[in-house]
């Protein structure tokens, strides 16, 4: 059983008096955590360090919380009345901390993420201590330990921790010349110079995958907790990961990936670790990973410790359990037991899952009308290229909600900015993002490009979409490619169809000329260079921010281009008028499903898009061997215009469809199973 609670509710009656509220929050958490509280909901900006609460106030607060006196409420109310906060003064920068000792100033700067005085204070500490290394191992690491403890206790949020790391890196960078002058041999950890770390952890995005925002955040958080992090980057082959792990004597290997083929690559790494008889704990993380997949597919492939890590906040306690000899055995047993239960539940659910054969599913396809009101003749067929799209045109289409999720702040934009728990931190994060976004636009630091195409097409009885040249001519009846779609095989209730994307196209025998569109867009050109510039000045916070903004711009560009297609290029909704909230809710006609996502999980269909649009030549967007897009801030997919077209999840499919699909694509069944791994029912 886990215990959680809304800590901020305890002090709600004192809103407006931050001094009292912060004392209540800190005192409550201090006692509640000792007695088994697992999670507390509270704004971390409204927390005081327990030991720094004035003794008079602490006594009054604990009298109320612990019910120690009959008049405790009246006494606290009296104190609050005589110590009301001056809100205007509260909003001004309080520089009182500048009068503290240099040790306290360094700790304060690290906890608050303040870089303004870090070189000045680091120099003062350097002159005070015998050696520069003692500054790092002393006050700087003491401050980072406070950060780590606060984050572990839920008293700091991820953006604050990343800012703390920025302060630490800048301090160490200032000391580097002095360290070198002493010719001290020191372990290099992400810019930290320490005699002893909590452990050495290798992180890598697996072969074929280029996404690393989450991995970068995990690395920063681990570094803040005195772990030595060796980040090998993206698209790292198995041999390099394992050879480096052995050579560097790492304590843990962490694998990351976003696209579904990365799941198979992680299994391959685990099997290779088993073949080499390694015993290094293996962490699994990334957007497509899950506890269930880790338990079913990865853990059985390796006899060592295998743990799925949901997010950055979980990485530190997991690493601590794995590297502590007194905790590891029990932690491994708990994890193994949990994964065994997940496997058993999965098998039970699979046995209970009712699926239907592919022939029966096709007989129950979605039957649509394809009259003049449903099928629209495109205004401009063929391929259309858009280079150097002005970013200011794209910004209004940004959906900011996923941006906050990257930073582990959960809530819907713009409501999250007013959230009682994370509102203040979310607002600061948003303001920081706006500042960097404005710089990107003003200085044209990122480039956006797109290519779209509209082609004649029809569907056939095998769930294929046959694509023809956009215009009639000498070879108008010769297909230029075929898009292979997949059909739901879950047994449906009466009148509920088994859907495939091909159902949204007019069938070949209808005599109707229908069309399909496809697209590829990117707002990521220039991201790597900009990130490198920030990393060169030890600013991980801004580097991660750039990647997150680029991702948002790419998704916004996809939305912008879809609107352009609906209103101008295809033109089936010339007069539509939706605001951004309506666009986010997808109130418009038509869909733009992407290969690798629920309706069409096969990444191989990206090759079809690249063929139709000559994407690399027209935009510069490349595909890796695992069909990840580069730059990473890129989106591709198909356009369906039928009014009844909708997004859906394929669900689990049977082997009969996989074999049929492999035959249609002209590939081996084993290769089809590789690309469709997350959709297989067997």
């Amino acid at each position: 059983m886990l215990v959680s609670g809304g800590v901020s509710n305890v002090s709600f009656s004192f809103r407006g008096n931050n001094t009292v509220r912060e004392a209540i929050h800190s005192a409550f958490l201090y006692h509640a955590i000792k007695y088994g509280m697992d999670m507390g909901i509270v704004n971390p900006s409204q927390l005081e360090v327990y030991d720094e609460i004035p003794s008079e106030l602490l006594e009054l607060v604990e009298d109320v919380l612990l019910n120690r006196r009959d008049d405790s409420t009246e006494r606290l109310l009296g104190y609050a009345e005589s110590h009301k906060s001056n809100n205007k003064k509260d909003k001004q920068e309080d520089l009182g901390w500048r009068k503290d000792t240099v040790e306290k100033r360094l700790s304060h700067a690290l906890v608050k993420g303040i870089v303004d005085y870090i070189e000045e204070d680091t120099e003062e500490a350097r002159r005070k201590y015998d050696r520069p290394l003692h500054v790092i191992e002393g006050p700087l690491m003491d401050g980072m330990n406070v950060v780590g403890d606060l984050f572990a206790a839920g008293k700091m949020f991820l953006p604050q921790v990343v800012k703390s790391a920025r302060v630490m890196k800048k301090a160490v960078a200032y000391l580097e010349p002095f360290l070198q002058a002493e010719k001290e041999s020191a372990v290099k950890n992400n810019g930290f110079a320490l005699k002893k770390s909590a452990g050495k952890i290798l992180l890598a995005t697996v072969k074929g995958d280029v996404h690393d925002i989450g991995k970068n955040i995990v690395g920063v958080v681990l570094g803040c907790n005195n772990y030595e992090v060796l980040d090998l980057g993206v698209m790292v082959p198995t041999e390099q990961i394992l050879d480096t792990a052995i050579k560097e004597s790492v304590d843990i290997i962490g694998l990351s990936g976003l696209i579904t083929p990365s799941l198979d690559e992680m299994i391959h790494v685990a099997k290779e670790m088993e073949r080499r008889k390694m015993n290094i704990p293996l962490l699994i993380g990334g957007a497509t990973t899950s506890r269930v997949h880790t338990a079913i597919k990865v853990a059985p492939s390796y006899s060592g410790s295998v743990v799925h890590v949901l997010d950055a906040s979980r990485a530190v306690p997991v690493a601590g359990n794995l590297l502590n000899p007194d905790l590891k055995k029990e932690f491994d047993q708990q994890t193994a037991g949990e994964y065994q239960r997940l496997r058993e539940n999965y098998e039970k659910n699979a046995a209970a899952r009712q699926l239907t054969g592919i022939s029966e599913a096709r007989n129950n396809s979605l039957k649509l009308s394809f009259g003049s009101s449903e099928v629209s003749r495109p205004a401009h067929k063929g391929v259309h290229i858009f280079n150097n799209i002005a970013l200011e045109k794209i910004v209004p289409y940004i959906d900011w909600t996923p941006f906050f999720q990257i930073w582990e702040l959960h809530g819907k934009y713009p409501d999250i900015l007013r959230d009682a728990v994370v509102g203040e931190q979310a607002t600061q994060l948003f303001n920081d993002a706006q500042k960097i976004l404005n710089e990107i636009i003003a200085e044209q630091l990122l480039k956006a490009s797109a290519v779209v195409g509209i082609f004649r097409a029809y569907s056939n009885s095998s769930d294929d979409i046959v694509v023809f040249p956009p215009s009639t001519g000498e070879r108008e009846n010769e297909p230029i490619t075929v898009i292979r779609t997949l059909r739901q095989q879950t047994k449906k209730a009466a009148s509920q169809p088994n859907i495939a994307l091909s159902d949204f196209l007019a069938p070949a025998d209808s005599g109707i000329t229908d069309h399909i569109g496809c697209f590829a867009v990117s707002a990521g050109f220039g991201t790597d260079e900009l990130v490198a510039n920030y990393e060169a000045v030890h600013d991980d916070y801004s580097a991660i921010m750039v990647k997150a903004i680029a991702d948002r711009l790419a998704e916004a560009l996809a939305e912008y281009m879809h609107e352009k297609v609906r209103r101008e290029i295809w033109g089936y909704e010339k007069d539509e008028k939706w605001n951004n909230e309506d666009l986010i809710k997808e109130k418009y006609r038509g869909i733009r499903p992407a290969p690798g996502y629920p309706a069409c999980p096969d990444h191989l269909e990206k090759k079809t898009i690249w063929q139709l649009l000559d994407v690399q030549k027209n935009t510069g967007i490349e595909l890796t061997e695992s069909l990840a897009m580069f730059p990473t801030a890129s989106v591709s997919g198909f356009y369906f215009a039928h009014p009844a077209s909708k997004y859906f999840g394929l669900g689990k499919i049977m082997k009969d469809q996989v074999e049929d699909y492999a035959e249609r694509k002209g590939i081996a069944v084993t290769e089809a199973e590789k690309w469709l791994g997350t959709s297989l029912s067997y």
Side-chain angles (χ1 to χ4, degrees):
M1 182 180 71
L2 300 177
V3 178
S4 66
V7 179
S8 57
N9 293 340
V10 179
S11 69
F12 192 69
S13 296
F14 294 95
R15 59 192 184 278
N17 191 324
N18 290 339
T19 301
V20 175
R21 291 202 77 181
E22 291 171 9
I24 292 174
H25 296 164
S26 298
F28 184 92
L29 285 170
Y30 175 78
H31 292 287
I33 291 171
K34 289 197 298 183
Y35 285 93
M37 187 176 193
D38 299 287
M39 182 182 77
I41 303 171
V42 63
N43 188 334
S45 68
Q46 292 186 327
L47 287 171
E48 178 60 276
V49 177
Y50 180 81
D51 291 339
E52 295 181 6
I53 300 173
S55 58
E56 178 188 3
L57 176 57
L58 180 61
E59 179 183 352
L60 294 171
V61 166
E62 291 187 333
D63 282 346
V64 172
L65 294 175
L66 303 177
N67 195 24
R68 296 191 299 209
R69 294 174 57 122
D70 293 337
D71 61 348
S72 58
T73 300
E74 291 75 13
R75 280 159 48 89
L76 181 58
L77 287 172
Y79 181 94
E81 183 66 26
S82 62
H83 293 76
K84 287 184 177 179
S85 297
N86 184 328
N87 291 332
K88 184 175 181 180
K89 182 179 178 181
D90 287 346
K91 293 180 181 178
Q92 297 175 348
E93 183 182 10
D94 180 8
L95 295 179
W97 64 281
R98 299 299 303 155
K99 299 177 182 178
D100 284 333
T101 65
V102 68
E103 290 82 3
K104 288 185 177 180
R105 277 181 271 137
L106 288 171
S107 180
H108 182 87
L110 288 162
V111 171
K112 298 297 184 181
I114 301 171
V115 297
D116 303 57
Y117 312 96
I118 192 61
E119 290 190 357
E120 172 186 335
D121 289 345
T122 302
E123 170 61 17
E124 182 178 338
R126 185 188 72 81
R127 293 181 179 277
K128 180 176 180 179
Y129 285 77
D130 293 335
R131 295 169 53 200
L133 188 59
H134 292 168
V135 179
I136 297 172
E137 294 178 332
L140 288 175
M141 279 313 303
D142 288 344
M144 290 308 294
N145 288 336
V146 174
V147 171
D149 291 343
L150 289 172
F151 184 57
K155 300 176 184 178
M156 286 183 71
F157 287 121
L158 184 59
Q160 295 167 298
V161 175
V162 178
K163 285 184 177 180
S164 297
R166 174 173 60 179
V167 177
M168 180 67 170
K169 283 194 170 185
K170 287 184 177 295
V172 173
Y174 178 83
L175 293 171
E176 283 289 354
F178 302 102
L179 291 165
Q180 292 176 6
E182 280 193 332
K183 297 182 180 180
E184 292 286 343
S185 59
V187 178
K188 300 295 181 182
N189 171 29
N190 216 10
F192 298 10
L194 305 171
K195 282 186 175 179
K196 184 179 180 181
S197 70
K200 183 184 288 189
I201 300 178
L202 181 151
L203 299 179
T205 300
V206 296
K207 184 177 71 171
D209 204 325
V210 294
H211 294 82
D212 67 348
I213 295 180
K215 173 175 64 67
N216 289 349
I217 291 175
V218 168
V220 170
V221 172
L222 288 169
C224 287
N225 285 269
N226 197 21
Y227 287 94
E228 182 180 354
V229 178
L230 181 60
D231 190 339
L232 298 187
V234 301
M235 296 194 294
V236 188
T238 298
E239 294 74 17
Q240 183 182 349
I241 293 172
L242 302 188
D243 290 347
T244 305
I246 294 171
K247 179 182 177 182
E248 297 292 334
S249 299
V250 304
D251 299 300
I252 293 176
I253 295 174
L255 303 180
S256 177
L258 177 69
I259 59 176
T260 49
S262 296
L263 299 176
D264 278 340
E265 190 63 28
M266 292 176 180
I267 296 170
H268 173 66
V269 174
K271 289 181 177 178
E272 186 62 14
M273 291 176 72
E274 182 71 12
R275 188 189 69 81
R276 295 191 183 195
K277 295 181 170 54
M278 298 175 69
N279 193 34
I280 303 173
L282 179 63
L283 304 186
I284 302 295
T288 58
T289 65
S290 68
R291 286 190 313 147
V292 174
H293 180 269
T294 302
I296 295 170
K297 298 290 187 179
V298 185
S301 301
Y302 181 48
S303 57
S305 304
V306 179
V307 185
H308 177 255
V309 180
L310 180 64
D311 51 42
S313 62
R314 311 292 176 87
V316 174
V318 168
N321 283 322
L322 289 171
L323 299 185
N324 186 324
D326 297 328
L327 301 176
K328 185 177 187 300
K329 183 177 180 180
E330 182 180 356
F331 180 73
D332 281 342
Q333 289 175 342
Q334 290 177 346
T335 303
E338 177 191 355
Y339 286 2
Q340 179 60 32
R341 290 190 293 273
L342 288 172
R343 286 190 288 269
E344 291 172 355
N345 290 337
Y346 180 83
E347 291 170 0
K348 288 179 182 178
N349 292 335
R353 189 182 296 120
Q354 291 187 313
L355 301 177
T356 186
I358 186 59
S359 296
E360 184 179 347
R362 284 172 176 161
N363 290 334
N364 191 41
S365 64
L366 178 64
K367 307 297 191 298
L368 297 177
S369 171
F370 291 93
S372 58
S373 61
E374 292 88 12
V375 178
S376 303
R377 181 181 180 85
H380 306 283
K381 291 180 283 189
V383 177
H384 306 270
I385 304 167
F386 302 85
N387 286 319
N388 295 321
I389 301 169
L391 295 181
E392 52 266 33
K393 292 183 179 180
I394 306 170
V395 170
Y397 294 82
I398 292 179
D399 176 7
W400 285 103
T401 297
F403 168 80
F404 293 100
Q405 294 170 352
I406 289 174
W407 294 93
E408 297 181 15
L409 297 177
H410 298 284
K412 184 180 178 181
Y413 175 82
D415 296 342
I416 191 173
L417 303 180
R418 300 181 293 272
D419 187 88
V421 179
V422 301
E424 184 172 339
Q425 182 57 42
T427 300
Q428 180 60 57
L429 183 69
F430 184 70
N431 291 339
D432 291 344
Q434 297 308 302
K435 180 179 178 181
I436 291 181
L437 177 58
N438 290 335
E439 291 175 357
I440 288 172
I441 293 173
E443 300 178 29
Q444 299 183 355
L445 300 175
L446 298 181
K447 303 295 183 184
S449 296
V451 58
V452 302
I454 312 295
F455 303 88
R456 292 183 298 126
Y458 66 70
S459 63
N460 64 23
S461 58
S462 298
D463 303 334
D464 294 332
I465 298 173
V466 184
V467 184
F468 294 87
S471 303
T472 57
E474 183 178 347
R475 307 178 70 176
E476 63 182 63
N477 294 320
E478 294 183 19
I480 53 178
T481 194
V482 179
I483 300 167
R484 316 289 181 177
T485 75
L486 292 155
R487 185 170 298 279
Q488 295 173 326
Q489 286 190 270
T490 303
K491 198 168 187 64
K492 299 296 186 76
S495 76
Q496 295 297 313
N498 293 82
I499 307 174
L501 286 172
S502 58
D503 293 344
F504 303 137
L505 265 288
D509 58 6
S510 67
I512 295 172
T513 302
D514 206 347
H515 294 81
I516 190 171
C518 51
F519 70 94
V521 306
S522 179
F525 297 102
T527 302
D528 287 350
E529 294 81 356
L530 187 52
V531 166
N533 289 340
Y534 281 120
E535 290 178 342
V537 294
H538 316 289
D539 190 352
D540 283 329
Y541 179 70
S542 297
I544 294 171
M545 185 75 77
V546 167
K547 294 181 181 182
I549 291 172
D551 278 355
R552 290 297 87 217
L553 286 171
E555 292 290 348
L557 178 55
E559 198 70 79
Y560 169 78
M561 292 307 303
H562 195 188
E563 181 183 80
K564 195 173 188 68
V565 165
R566 295 192 305 271
R567 298 183 63 179
E568 302 172 23
I569 299 174
W570 200 323
Y572 58 82
E573 290 286 280
K574 293 183 177 66
D575 300 321
E576 74 166 37
K577 293 180 180 179
W578 303 112
N579 60 33
N580 194 38
E581 184 177 355
D582 295 329
L583 295 176
I584 292 171
K585 292 180 178 179
E586 298 164 352
K587 289 186 176 181
Y588 47 77
R589 169 182 164 181
I591 59 174
R592 50 177 178 90
Y597 286 82
C600 48
D602 186 2
H603 285 269
L604 288 172
E605 288 306 324
K606 288 179 187 171
K607 289 186 175 181
T608 307
I609 296 173
W610 257 245
Q611 172 197 344
L612 283 169
L613 302 178
D614 202 356
V615 173
Q616 185 165 345
K617 176 183 176 182
N618 289 328
T619 65
I621 307 172
E622 304 175 32
L623 291 177
T624 71
E625 60 183 296
S626 294
L627 303 183
M629 293 174 285
F630 184 81
T632 55
S634 302
V635 184
S636 63
F638 299 104
Y639 293 133
F640 291 86
H642 194 285
S645 60
K646 62 180 181 179
Y647 295 102
F648 61 91
L650 176 66
K652 298 297 181 181
I653 60 176
M654 297 169 61
K655 191 161 188 173
D656 63 344
Q657 181 167 195
V658 177
E659 292 173 340
D660 174 87
Y661 190 65
E663 182 178 355
R664 287 154 54 202
K665 290 188 75 70
I667 60 177
V669 173
T670 53
E671 185 178 357
E673 289 174 332
K674 168 189 171 183
W675 292 101
L676 300 175
T678 57
S679 301
L680 303 181
S681 65
Y682 56 95

